[in-house]
Short mmCIF file of all heavy atoms in Angstrom, two decimals:
data_model
loop_
_atom_site.label_atom_id
_atom_site.label_comp_id
_atom_site.label_asym_id
_atom_site.label_seq_id
_atom_site.Cartn_x
_atom_site.Cartn_y
_atom_site.Cartn_z
N MET A 3 0.82 -1.19 0.00
CA MET A 3 0.00 0.00 0.00
C MET A 3 0.87 1.26 0.00
O MET A 3 0.45 2.29 -0.51
CB MET A 3 -0.93 -0.03 1.21
CG MET A 3 -2.11 0.87 1.05
SD MET A 3 -3.27 0.73 2.41
CE MET A 3 -4.64 0.06 1.55
N VAL A 4 2.05 1.17 0.56
CA VAL A 4 2.96 2.32 0.60
C VAL A 4 3.34 2.75 -0.81
O VAL A 4 3.39 3.94 -1.12
CB VAL A 4 4.22 2.00 1.44
CG1 VAL A 4 5.25 3.11 1.32
CG2 VAL A 4 3.85 1.80 2.89
N SER A 5 3.60 1.78 -1.69
CA SER A 5 3.99 2.14 -3.06
C SER A 5 2.79 2.69 -3.84
O SER A 5 2.96 3.54 -4.70
CB SER A 5 4.60 0.94 -3.78
OG SER A 5 3.67 -0.12 -3.85
N GLU A 6 1.59 2.20 -3.55
CA GLU A 6 0.40 2.66 -4.26
C GLU A 6 -0.08 4.03 -3.76
O GLU A 6 -0.59 4.83 -4.53
CB GLU A 6 -0.73 1.64 -4.10
CG GLU A 6 -1.89 1.88 -5.02
CD GLU A 6 -2.92 0.76 -4.97
OE1 GLU A 6 -2.61 -0.32 -4.43
OE2 GLU A 6 -4.03 0.98 -5.47
N TYR A 7 0.08 4.29 -2.47
CA TYR A 7 -0.35 5.56 -1.86
C TYR A 7 0.79 6.15 -1.04
O TYR A 7 0.73 6.19 0.19
CB TYR A 7 -1.57 5.33 -0.96
CG TYR A 7 -2.76 4.75 -1.67
CD1 TYR A 7 -3.06 3.40 -1.59
CD2 TYR A 7 -3.60 5.56 -2.44
CE1 TYR A 7 -4.15 2.86 -2.24
CE2 TYR A 7 -4.69 5.03 -3.09
CZ TYR A 7 -4.96 3.68 -3.00
OH TYR A 7 -6.05 3.15 -3.64
N PRO A 8 1.84 6.63 -1.68
CA PRO A 8 3.01 7.12 -0.92
C PRO A 8 2.72 8.34 -0.05
O PRO A 8 3.43 8.58 0.91
CB PRO A 8 4.03 7.44 -2.00
CG PRO A 8 3.22 7.67 -3.24
CD PRO A 8 2.02 6.78 -3.12
N ASP A 9 1.66 9.10 -0.35
CA ASP A 9 1.35 10.29 0.43
C ASP A 9 0.33 10.05 1.53
O ASP A 9 -0.08 10.98 2.21
CB ASP A 9 0.85 11.41 -0.49
CG ASP A 9 1.92 11.85 -1.48
OD1 ASP A 9 3.11 11.81 -1.11
OD2 ASP A 9 1.57 12.23 -2.61
N LYS A 10 -0.08 8.80 1.71
CA LYS A 10 -1.03 8.48 2.77
C LYS A 10 -0.31 8.58 4.12
O LYS A 10 0.83 8.16 4.26
CB LYS A 10 -1.59 7.08 2.58
CG LYS A 10 -2.65 6.72 3.59
CD LYS A 10 -3.28 5.40 3.25
CE LYS A 10 -2.73 4.35 4.14
NZ LYS A 10 -3.48 3.09 4.09
N ASP A 11 -1.00 9.15 5.11
CA ASP A 11 -0.42 9.32 6.44
C ASP A 11 -1.21 8.49 7.43
O ASP A 11 -2.44 8.51 7.43
CB ASP A 11 -0.48 10.81 6.83
CG ASP A 11 0.17 11.07 8.16
OD1 ASP A 11 1.30 10.60 8.38
OD2 ASP A 11 -0.46 11.75 8.99
N ILE A 12 -0.51 7.72 8.27
CA ILE A 12 -1.16 6.92 9.30
C ILE A 12 -0.56 7.29 10.66
O ILE A 12 0.64 7.24 10.84
CB ILE A 12 -0.96 5.41 9.06
CG1 ILE A 12 -1.57 5.00 7.72
CG2 ILE A 12 -1.58 4.61 10.20
CD1 ILE A 12 -1.32 3.56 7.37
N GLU A 13 -1.44 7.67 11.57
CA GLU A 13 -1.03 7.95 12.96
C GLU A 13 -1.59 6.83 13.83
O GLU A 13 -2.80 6.54 13.80
CB GLU A 13 -1.59 9.28 13.42
CG GLU A 13 -1.35 9.55 14.88
CD GLU A 13 -2.13 10.75 15.40
OE1 GLU A 13 -2.82 11.42 14.63
OE2 GLU A 13 -2.04 10.99 16.62
N PHE A 14 -0.72 6.18 14.59
CA PHE A 14 -1.17 5.16 15.52
C PHE A 14 -1.63 5.86 16.80
O PHE A 14 -0.83 6.46 17.51
CB PHE A 14 -0.06 4.15 15.80
CG PHE A 14 0.24 3.31 14.59
CD1 PHE A 14 1.21 3.69 13.68
CD2 PHE A 14 -0.48 2.16 14.35
CE1 PHE A 14 1.46 2.94 12.55
CE2 PHE A 14 -0.23 1.39 13.22
CZ PHE A 14 0.74 1.79 12.32
N VAL A 15 -2.92 5.79 17.06
CA VAL A 15 -3.52 6.46 18.21
C VAL A 15 -3.29 5.65 19.48
O VAL A 15 -2.93 6.18 20.52
CB VAL A 15 -5.03 6.70 17.97
CG1 VAL A 15 -5.69 7.34 19.18
CG2 VAL A 15 -5.23 7.55 16.72
N ARG A 16 -3.50 4.33 19.37
CA ARG A 16 -3.25 3.46 20.52
C ARG A 16 -3.05 2.03 20.04
O ARG A 16 -3.52 1.66 18.98
CB ARG A 16 -4.36 3.53 21.56
CG ARG A 16 -5.72 3.15 21.09
CD ARG A 16 -6.82 3.37 22.16
NE ARG A 16 -6.84 4.67 22.75
CZ ARG A 16 -7.50 5.73 22.27
NH1 ARG A 16 -8.21 5.62 21.18
NH2 ARG A 16 -7.45 6.88 22.89
N ALA A 17 -2.33 1.28 20.84
CA ALA A 17 -2.12 -0.15 20.60
C ALA A 17 -2.37 -0.87 21.91
O ALA A 17 -1.93 -0.43 22.97
CB ALA A 17 -0.70 -0.41 20.12
N ILE A 18 -3.10 -1.98 21.82
CA ILE A 18 -3.42 -2.77 23.00
C ILE A 18 -3.04 -4.22 22.70
O ILE A 18 -3.40 -4.74 21.64
CB ILE A 18 -4.92 -2.68 23.35
CG1 ILE A 18 -5.31 -1.22 23.59
CG2 ILE A 18 -5.26 -3.54 24.55
CD1 ILE A 18 -6.80 -0.98 23.65
N ALA A 19 -2.32 -4.84 23.62
CA ALA A 19 -1.92 -6.24 23.43
C ALA A 19 -2.23 -7.04 24.68
O ALA A 19 -2.06 -6.56 25.80
CB ALA A 19 -0.44 -6.32 23.11
N GLU A 20 -2.72 -8.24 24.45
CA GLU A 20 -2.96 -9.17 25.56
C GLU A 20 -2.78 -10.59 25.01
O GLU A 20 -3.49 -10.99 24.08
CB GLU A 20 -4.37 -9.00 26.11
CG GLU A 20 -4.64 -9.93 27.30
CD GLU A 20 -6.01 -9.69 27.91
OE1 GLU A 20 -6.41 -8.52 28.04
OE2 GLU A 20 -6.66 -10.67 28.25
N GLY A 21 -1.81 -11.29 25.57
CA GLY A 21 -1.55 -12.65 25.10
C GLY A 21 -1.16 -12.65 23.63
O GLY A 21 -0.24 -11.94 23.22
N ASP A 22 -1.91 -13.39 22.81
CA ASP A 22 -1.58 -13.48 21.38
C ASP A 22 -2.42 -12.53 20.53
O ASP A 22 -2.44 -12.61 19.31
CB ASP A 22 -1.76 -14.91 20.88
CG ASP A 22 -3.19 -15.43 21.02
OD1 ASP A 22 -4.03 -14.74 21.63
OD2 ASP A 22 -3.46 -16.53 20.51
N LEU A 23 -3.10 -11.56 21.18
CA LEU A 23 -3.97 -10.62 20.47
C LEU A 23 -3.42 -9.20 20.54
O LEU A 23 -2.92 -8.77 21.58
CB LEU A 23 -5.37 -10.64 21.08
CG LEU A 23 -6.08 -11.98 21.09
CD1 LEU A 23 -7.40 -11.87 21.86
CD2 LEU A 23 -6.33 -12.48 19.68
N VAL A 24 -3.53 -8.48 19.43
CA VAL A 24 -3.11 -7.08 19.36
C VAL A 24 -4.20 -6.29 18.63
O VAL A 24 -4.73 -6.74 17.62
CB VAL A 24 -1.77 -6.92 18.61
CG1 VAL A 24 -1.42 -5.45 18.40
CG2 VAL A 24 -0.65 -7.62 19.36
N ALA A 25 -4.53 -5.11 19.15
CA ALA A 25 -5.47 -4.20 18.51
C ALA A 25 -4.77 -2.87 18.26
O ALA A 25 -4.07 -2.36 19.13
CB ALA A 25 -6.70 -3.98 19.39
N LEU A 26 -4.95 -2.33 17.06
CA LEU A 26 -4.39 -1.03 16.70
C LEU A 26 -5.53 -0.09 16.33
O LEU A 26 -6.41 -0.44 15.54
CB LEU A 26 -3.45 -1.16 15.50
CG LEU A 26 -2.23 -2.04 15.67
CD1 LEU A 26 -1.48 -2.15 14.35
CD2 LEU A 26 -1.33 -1.51 16.76
N HIS A 27 -5.50 1.11 16.89
CA HIS A 27 -6.47 2.17 16.59
C HIS A 27 -5.70 3.25 15.86
O HIS A 27 -4.71 3.77 16.39
CB HIS A 27 -7.03 2.68 17.92
CG HIS A 27 -8.10 3.71 17.79
ND1 HIS A 27 -8.39 4.57 18.81
CD2 HIS A 27 -8.95 4.02 16.79
CE1 HIS A 27 -9.37 5.37 18.44
NE2 HIS A 27 -9.73 5.05 17.22
N THR A 28 -6.10 3.55 14.63
CA THR A 28 -5.32 4.50 13.83
C THR A 28 -6.18 5.60 13.24
O THR A 28 -7.40 5.48 13.13
CB THR A 28 -4.60 3.79 12.66
OG1 THR A 28 -5.57 3.28 11.75
CG2 THR A 28 -3.71 2.67 13.15
N HIS A 29 -5.51 6.67 12.87
CA HIS A 29 -6.10 7.79 12.15
C HIS A 29 -5.37 7.86 10.81
O HIS A 29 -4.14 8.00 10.78
CB HIS A 29 -5.91 9.08 12.94
CG HIS A 29 -6.40 10.30 12.23
ND1 HIS A 29 -5.75 11.50 12.32
CD2 HIS A 29 -7.47 10.51 11.43
CE1 HIS A 29 -6.40 12.40 11.60
NE2 HIS A 29 -7.45 11.82 11.05
N GLN A 30 -6.12 7.74 9.72
CA GLN A 30 -5.51 7.76 8.39
C GLN A 30 -5.97 8.96 7.59
O GLN A 30 -7.15 9.31 7.61
CB GLN A 30 -5.88 6.49 7.61
CG GLN A 30 -5.37 5.24 8.25
CD GLN A 30 -5.59 4.03 7.37
OE1 GLN A 30 -5.81 4.13 6.16
NE2 GLN A 30 -5.52 2.86 7.97
N ILE A 31 -5.01 9.59 6.92
CA ILE A 31 -5.33 10.68 5.99
C ILE A 31 -4.83 10.23 4.62
O ILE A 31 -3.64 10.01 4.43
CB ILE A 31 -4.68 12.01 6.40
CG1 ILE A 31 -5.12 12.39 7.81
CG2 ILE A 31 -5.04 13.11 5.40
CD1 ILE A 31 -4.40 13.62 8.38
N TRP A 32 -5.76 10.09 3.69
CA TRP A 32 -5.44 9.63 2.34
C TRP A 32 -5.05 10.83 1.47
O TRP A 32 -5.32 11.98 1.82
CB TRP A 32 -6.64 8.88 1.77
CG TRP A 32 -6.80 7.55 2.43
CD1 TRP A 32 -7.15 7.32 3.73
CD2 TRP A 32 -6.56 6.28 1.86
NE1 TRP A 32 -7.15 5.98 3.99
CE2 TRP A 32 -6.81 5.32 2.86
CE3 TRP A 32 -6.17 5.86 0.59
CZ2 TRP A 32 -6.67 3.96 2.62
CZ3 TRP A 32 -6.05 4.51 0.36
CH2 TRP A 32 -6.29 3.57 1.36
N PRO A 33 -4.41 10.59 0.31
CA PRO A 33 -3.92 11.68 -0.54
C PRO A 33 -4.99 12.71 -0.93
O PRO A 33 -4.67 13.86 -1.15
CB PRO A 33 -3.37 10.96 -1.77
CG PRO A 33 -2.94 9.64 -1.25
CD PRO A 33 -3.97 9.28 -0.20
N ASP A 34 -6.25 12.31 -0.98
CA ASP A 34 -7.32 13.27 -1.32
C ASP A 34 -7.83 14.01 -0.08
O ASP A 34 -8.87 14.64 -0.11
CB ASP A 34 -8.46 12.56 -2.03
CG ASP A 34 -9.01 11.40 -1.22
OD1 ASP A 34 -8.58 11.21 -0.06
OD2 ASP A 34 -9.88 10.69 -1.74
N ASN A 35 -7.10 13.90 1.03
CA ASN A 35 -7.41 14.52 2.33
C ASN A 35 -8.66 13.96 3.00
O ASN A 35 -9.17 14.58 3.93
CB ASN A 35 -7.50 16.05 2.21
CG ASN A 35 -6.13 16.67 2.08
OD1 ASN A 35 -5.17 16.19 2.68
ND2 ASN A 35 -6.03 17.69 1.27
N GLU A 36 -9.12 12.79 2.55
CA GLU A 36 -10.20 12.14 3.28
C GLU A 36 -9.60 11.47 4.51
O GLU A 36 -8.53 10.87 4.44
CB GLU A 36 -10.90 11.10 2.40
CG GLU A 36 -11.74 11.74 1.31
CD GLU A 36 -12.56 10.71 0.56
OE1 GLU A 36 -12.21 9.51 0.58
OE2 GLU A 36 -13.54 11.11 -0.07
N GLU A 37 -10.30 11.60 5.64
CA GLU A 37 -9.79 11.06 6.90
C GLU A 37 -10.65 9.88 7.33
O GLU A 37 -11.87 9.90 7.20
CB GLU A 37 -9.81 12.14 7.97
CG GLU A 37 -8.86 13.29 7.67
CD GLU A 37 -8.78 14.28 8.80
OE1 GLU A 37 -8.60 13.85 9.96
OE2 GLU A 37 -8.92 15.48 8.54
N TYR A 38 -9.95 8.87 7.88
CA TYR A 38 -10.61 7.64 8.31
C TYR A 38 -10.12 7.24 9.70
O TYR A 38 -8.96 7.44 10.03
CB TYR A 38 -10.31 6.49 7.35
CG TYR A 38 -10.91 6.68 5.98
CD1 TYR A 38 -10.23 7.39 4.99
CD2 TYR A 38 -12.16 6.16 5.67
CE1 TYR A 38 -10.78 7.58 3.74
CE2 TYR A 38 -12.71 6.34 4.42
CZ TYR A 38 -12.01 7.04 3.46
OH TYR A 38 -12.56 7.22 2.22
N VAL A 39 -11.03 6.66 10.47
CA VAL A 39 -10.66 6.01 11.72
C VAL A 39 -10.64 4.52 11.41
O VAL A 39 -11.53 4.01 10.73
CB VAL A 39 -11.63 6.35 12.87
CG1 VAL A 39 -13.05 5.96 12.55
CG2 VAL A 39 -11.18 5.73 14.17
N THR A 40 -9.60 3.83 11.86
CA THR A 40 -9.49 2.41 11.59
C THR A 40 -9.12 1.64 12.85
O THR A 40 -8.51 2.19 13.77
CB THR A 40 -8.44 2.10 10.50
OG1 THR A 40 -7.16 2.56 10.93
CG2 THR A 40 -8.79 2.76 9.19
N MET A 41 -9.52 0.38 12.87
CA MET A 41 -9.14 -0.56 13.91
C MET A 41 -8.65 -1.81 13.21
O MET A 41 -9.27 -2.29 12.26
CB MET A 41 -10.33 -0.93 14.80
CG MET A 41 -10.81 0.19 15.69
SD MET A 41 -9.66 0.64 16.99
CE MET A 41 -9.52 -0.85 17.92
N ASP A 42 -7.52 -2.34 13.65
CA ASP A 42 -6.99 -3.60 13.14
C ASP A 42 -6.79 -4.53 14.31
O ASP A 42 -6.29 -4.12 15.37
CB ASP A 42 -5.65 -3.38 12.43
CG ASP A 42 -5.83 -2.76 11.07
OD1 ASP A 42 -6.03 -3.52 10.12
OD2 ASP A 42 -5.75 -1.53 10.96
N PHE A 43 -7.18 -5.78 14.13
CA PHE A 43 -7.06 -6.80 15.17
C PHE A 43 -6.24 -7.96 14.61
O PHE A 43 -6.51 -8.44 13.52
CB PHE A 43 -8.44 -7.29 15.61
CG PHE A 43 -9.33 -6.19 16.09
CD1 PHE A 43 -10.19 -5.55 15.21
CD2 PHE A 43 -9.29 -5.77 17.40
CE1 PHE A 43 -11.01 -4.52 15.65
CE2 PHE A 43 -10.11 -4.73 17.84
CZ PHE A 43 -10.97 -4.11 16.96
N PHE A 44 -5.26 -8.39 15.38
CA PHE A 44 -4.37 -9.46 14.95
C PHE A 44 -4.31 -10.56 16.01
O PHE A 44 -4.38 -10.28 17.21
CB PHE A 44 -2.94 -8.94 14.76
CG PHE A 44 -2.82 -7.84 13.77
CD1 PHE A 44 -2.89 -6.51 14.16
CD2 PHE A 44 -2.62 -8.11 12.43
CE1 PHE A 44 -2.77 -5.49 13.24
CE2 PHE A 44 -2.49 -7.09 11.50
CZ PHE A 44 -2.57 -5.78 11.90
N ARG A 45 -4.15 -11.80 15.55
CA ARG A 45 -3.84 -12.92 16.44
C ARG A 45 -2.56 -13.56 15.92
O ARG A 45 -2.40 -13.78 14.71
CB ARG A 45 -4.95 -13.97 16.47
CG ARG A 45 -4.68 -15.07 17.51
CD ARG A 45 -5.86 -16.01 17.67
NE ARG A 45 -6.12 -16.78 16.47
CZ ARG A 45 -5.50 -17.90 16.13
NH1 ARG A 45 -4.55 -18.41 16.90
NH2 ARG A 45 -5.83 -18.53 15.02
N PHE A 46 -1.63 -13.80 16.82
CA PHE A 46 -0.31 -14.33 16.48
C PHE A 46 -0.20 -15.78 16.92
O PHE A 46 -0.80 -16.18 17.93
CB PHE A 46 0.78 -13.51 17.17
CG PHE A 46 0.90 -12.11 16.64
CD1 PHE A 46 0.06 -11.11 17.10
CD2 PHE A 46 1.84 -11.79 15.68
CE1 PHE A 46 0.15 -9.81 16.61
CE2 PHE A 46 1.95 -10.50 15.19
CZ PHE A 46 1.10 -9.52 15.65
N ASP A 47 0.62 -16.56 16.20
CA ASP A 47 0.89 -17.93 16.63
C ASP A 47 2.08 -17.94 17.58
O ASP A 47 2.63 -16.88 17.93
CB ASP A 47 1.09 -18.87 15.44
CG ASP A 47 2.36 -18.61 14.64
OD1 ASP A 47 3.26 -17.85 15.09
OD2 ASP A 47 2.48 -19.19 13.54
N ASP A 48 2.50 -19.12 18.00
CA ASP A 48 3.60 -19.25 18.96
C ASP A 48 4.95 -18.81 18.40
O ASP A 48 5.91 -18.63 19.15
CB ASP A 48 3.71 -20.70 19.45
CG ASP A 48 2.52 -21.10 20.30
OD1 ASP A 48 1.87 -20.20 20.87
OD2 ASP A 48 2.24 -22.31 20.38
N HIS A 49 5.03 -18.61 17.08
CA HIS A 49 6.28 -18.19 16.44
C HIS A 49 6.27 -16.69 16.10
O HIS A 49 7.17 -16.19 15.44
CB HIS A 49 6.54 -19.01 15.18
CG HIS A 49 6.55 -20.48 15.43
ND1 HIS A 49 7.58 -21.12 16.09
CD2 HIS A 49 5.64 -21.43 15.15
CE1 HIS A 49 7.31 -22.41 16.18
NE2 HIS A 49 6.13 -22.62 15.63
N GLY A 50 5.22 -15.98 16.55
CA GLY A 50 5.14 -14.54 16.31
C GLY A 50 4.62 -14.16 14.94
O GLY A 50 4.70 -13.00 14.54
N LYS A 51 4.06 -15.11 14.21
CA LYS A 51 3.50 -14.82 12.88
C LYS A 51 2.01 -14.54 13.00
O LYS A 51 1.30 -15.17 13.80
CB LYS A 51 3.73 -16.00 11.93
CG LYS A 51 5.20 -16.22 11.66
CD LYS A 51 5.39 -17.23 10.57
CE LYS A 51 6.89 -17.45 10.40
NZ LYS A 51 7.31 -17.39 9.07
N ILE A 52 1.54 -13.60 12.18
CA ILE A 52 0.12 -13.27 12.17
C ILE A 52 -0.64 -14.44 11.54
O ILE A 52 -0.34 -14.86 10.42
CB ILE A 52 -0.14 -11.98 11.37
CG1 ILE A 52 0.54 -10.79 12.05
CG2 ILE A 52 -1.65 -11.73 11.22
CD1 ILE A 52 0.54 -9.53 11.22
N VAL A 53 -1.64 -14.96 12.27
CA VAL A 53 -2.46 -16.05 11.74
C VAL A 53 -3.91 -15.62 11.50
O VAL A 53 -4.65 -16.32 10.81
CB VAL A 53 -2.41 -17.29 12.65
CG1 VAL A 53 -1.03 -17.91 12.63
CG2 VAL A 53 -2.83 -16.97 14.07
N GLU A 54 -4.29 -14.48 12.06
CA GLU A 54 -5.62 -13.92 11.79
C GLU A 54 -5.53 -12.40 11.79
O GLU A 54 -4.74 -11.83 12.53
CB GLU A 54 -6.63 -14.35 12.85
CG GLU A 54 -6.98 -15.82 12.81
CD GLU A 54 -8.06 -16.17 13.81
OE1 GLU A 54 -9.18 -15.61 13.68
OE2 GLU A 54 -7.79 -16.97 14.71
N HIS A 55 -6.36 -11.77 10.95
CA HIS A 55 -6.41 -10.31 10.89
C HIS A 55 -7.83 -9.89 10.56
O HIS A 55 -8.46 -10.42 9.66
CB HIS A 55 -5.45 -9.78 9.81
CG HIS A 55 -5.63 -8.32 9.56
ND1 HIS A 55 -6.10 -7.83 8.37
CD2 HIS A 55 -5.42 -7.24 10.34
CE1 HIS A 55 -6.15 -6.51 8.42
NE2 HIS A 55 -5.75 -6.12 9.62
N TRP A 56 -8.35 -8.94 11.32
CA TRP A 56 -9.65 -8.34 11.05
C TRP A 56 -9.43 -6.84 11.07
O TRP A 56 -8.56 -6.33 11.76
CB TRP A 56 -10.68 -8.67 12.13
CG TRP A 56 -10.83 -10.11 12.45
CD1 TRP A 56 -11.64 -11.02 11.85
CD2 TRP A 56 -10.14 -10.82 13.48
NE1 TRP A 56 -11.51 -12.25 12.44
CE2 TRP A 56 -10.58 -12.16 13.45
CE3 TRP A 56 -9.17 -10.48 14.42
CZ2 TRP A 56 -10.13 -13.13 14.32
CZ3 TRP A 56 -8.70 -11.45 15.28
CH2 TRP A 56 -9.18 -12.76 15.22
N ASP A 57 -10.24 -6.11 10.33
CA ASP A 57 -10.13 -4.66 10.38
C ASP A 57 -11.48 -4.01 10.18
O ASP A 57 -12.44 -4.64 9.72
CB ASP A 57 -9.11 -4.12 9.38
CG ASP A 57 -9.42 -4.46 7.94
OD1 ASP A 57 -10.59 -4.38 7.53
OD2 ASP A 57 -8.49 -4.81 7.22
N SER A 58 -11.54 -2.76 10.55
CA SER A 58 -12.74 -1.95 10.39
C SER A 58 -12.27 -0.54 10.02
O SER A 58 -11.29 -0.05 10.58
CB SER A 58 -13.52 -1.93 11.70
OG SER A 58 -14.65 -1.08 11.59
N ILE A 59 -12.97 0.07 9.08
CA ILE A 59 -12.60 1.42 8.65
C ILE A 59 -13.87 2.24 8.47
O ILE A 59 -14.90 1.73 8.02
CB ILE A 59 -11.77 1.39 7.34
CG1 ILE A 59 -11.31 2.79 6.96
CG2 ILE A 59 -12.53 0.73 6.21
CD1 ILE A 59 -10.26 2.81 5.85
N GLN A 60 -13.81 3.49 8.91
CA GLN A 60 -14.96 4.39 8.76
C GLN A 60 -14.45 5.78 8.42
O GLN A 60 -13.52 6.30 9.06
CB GLN A 60 -15.78 4.46 10.04
CG GLN A 60 -16.96 5.40 9.94
CD GLN A 60 -17.76 5.47 11.23
OE1 GLN A 60 -17.66 4.60 12.10
NE2 GLN A 60 -18.57 6.51 11.36
N LYS A 61 -15.04 6.38 7.40
CA LYS A 61 -14.71 7.76 7.06
C LYS A 61 -15.16 8.66 8.21
O LYS A 61 -16.24 8.49 8.77
CB LYS A 61 -15.41 8.16 5.76
CG LYS A 61 -14.97 9.49 5.23
CD LYS A 61 -15.57 9.75 3.87
CE LYS A 61 -15.12 11.10 3.38
NZ LYS A 61 -15.67 11.39 2.06
N ILE A 62 -14.31 9.60 8.57
CA ILE A 62 -14.63 10.52 9.66
C ILE A 62 -15.58 11.58 9.13
O ILE A 62 -15.26 12.30 8.18
CB ILE A 62 -13.36 11.18 10.24
CG1 ILE A 62 -12.45 10.08 10.82
CG2 ILE A 62 -13.71 12.21 11.29
CD1 ILE A 62 -11.12 10.57 11.30
N PRO A 63 -16.78 11.68 9.71
CA PRO A 63 -17.75 12.67 9.23
C PRO A 63 -17.33 14.09 9.62
O PRO A 63 -16.62 14.28 10.61
CB PRO A 63 -19.05 12.27 9.93
CG PRO A 63 -18.61 11.57 11.16
CD PRO A 63 -17.30 10.90 10.82
N VAL A 64 -17.77 15.04 8.86
CA VAL A 64 -17.50 16.45 9.17
C VAL A 64 -18.14 16.80 10.50
O VAL A 64 -17.53 17.45 11.34
CB VAL A 64 -18.01 17.38 8.04
CG1 VAL A 64 -17.82 18.84 8.43
CG2 VAL A 64 -17.30 17.07 6.74
N VAL A 65 -19.37 16.35 10.69
CA VAL A 65 -20.11 16.57 11.94
C VAL A 65 -20.63 15.23 12.42
O VAL A 65 -21.30 14.52 11.68
CB VAL A 65 -21.28 17.56 11.73
CG1 VAL A 65 -22.08 17.74 13.02
CG2 VAL A 65 -20.78 18.89 11.22
N SER A 66 -20.33 14.90 13.65
CA SER A 66 -20.81 13.65 14.24
C SER A 66 -22.27 13.79 14.65
O SER A 66 -22.66 14.80 15.23
CB SER A 66 -19.95 13.33 15.47
OG SER A 66 -20.53 12.30 16.22
N LYS A 67 -23.09 12.77 14.34
CA LYS A 67 -24.49 12.82 14.71
C LYS A 67 -24.70 12.89 16.21
O LYS A 67 -25.64 13.50 16.69
CB LYS A 67 -25.24 11.63 14.12
CG LYS A 67 -25.40 11.71 12.64
CD LYS A 67 -26.23 10.55 12.11
CE LYS A 67 -26.36 10.68 10.60
NZ LYS A 67 -27.19 9.62 10.04
N CYS A 68 -23.82 12.24 16.97
CA CYS A 68 -23.96 12.24 18.42
C CYS A 68 -23.23 13.39 19.09
O CYS A 68 -23.37 13.62 20.28
CB CYS A 68 -23.49 10.92 19.00
SG CYS A 68 -21.73 10.65 18.85
N GLY A 69 -22.40 14.11 18.31
CA GLY A 69 -21.65 15.23 18.87
C GLY A 69 -20.31 14.86 19.48
O GLY A 69 -19.55 15.72 19.86
N ASN A 70 -20.00 13.56 19.57
CA ASN A 70 -18.73 13.11 20.12
C ASN A 70 -17.70 12.96 19.00
O ASN A 70 -18.05 12.56 17.87
CB ASN A 70 -18.89 11.76 20.82
CG ASN A 70 -19.77 11.85 22.03
OD1 ASN A 70 -19.80 12.87 22.71
ND2 ASN A 70 -20.52 10.80 22.30
N PRO A 71 -16.44 13.24 19.29
CA PRO A 71 -15.40 13.07 18.26
C PRO A 71 -15.11 11.58 18.06
O PRO A 71 -15.47 10.74 18.88
CB PRO A 71 -14.20 13.80 18.85
CG PRO A 71 -14.41 13.73 20.33
CD PRO A 71 -15.90 13.77 20.53
N MET A 72 -14.44 11.25 16.96
CA MET A 72 -14.08 9.86 16.67
C MET A 72 -12.90 9.38 17.51
O MET A 72 -12.65 8.19 17.61
CB MET A 72 -13.73 9.72 15.18
CG MET A 72 -14.88 10.03 14.24
SD MET A 72 -16.23 8.84 14.36
CE MET A 72 -15.57 7.49 13.45
N TYR A 73 -12.15 10.31 18.09
CA TYR A 73 -10.99 9.93 18.91
C TYR A 73 -11.12 10.51 20.29
O TYR A 73 -11.54 11.60 20.48
CB TYR A 73 -9.68 10.44 18.28
CG TYR A 73 -9.41 9.80 16.93
CD1 TYR A 73 -9.80 10.43 15.76
CD2 TYR A 73 -8.79 8.58 16.87
CE1 TYR A 73 -9.57 9.82 14.55
CE2 TYR A 73 -8.54 7.97 15.65
CZ TYR A 73 -8.94 8.61 14.50
OH TYR A 73 -8.72 8.01 13.29
#
């Protein structure tokens, strides 16, 4: 993805790890200045290799319906 979108910016907001599970909460700004909140979830095997990955992505709205920020 780095070669396809070299101007994309990713800020890691938080990382949480417990046992063989890791969750990453990120803020992404794509080259067209669209902003997204993302979550990535990983499960690792006993050798430290990723064996499962799930993710969720949502475009950050200009105005939140509930009034709360995404971060």
Side-chain angles (χ1 to χ4, degrees):
M3 200 175 245
V4 172
S5 61
E6 192 173 346
Y7 300 100
D9 296 328
K10 184 173 102 167
D11 183 48
I12 299 176
E13 173 191 357
F14 291 91
V15 177
R16 60 185 51 88
I18 302 168
E20 182 176 319
D22 62 352
L23 302 174
V24 173
L26 299 175
H27 183 202
T28 66
H29 176 217
Q30 297 187 19
I31 302 174
W32 288 68
D34 56 5
N35 285 324
E36 288 187 339
E37 295 185 49
Y38 293 87
V39 58
T40 60
M41 290 292 299
D42 285 274
F43 304 92
F44 301 92
R45 186 172 66 84
F46 293 82
D47 68 12
D48 292 337
H49 304 288
K51 295 189 183 228
I52 296 170
V53 292
E54 291 185 61
H55 171 246
W56 308 272
D57 59 42
S58 176
I59 184 168
Q60 179 181 342
K61 189 173 179 180
I62 298 175
V64 175
V65 177
S66 168
K67 289 184 180 182
C68 68
N70 295 327
M72 297 294 282
Y73 296 95

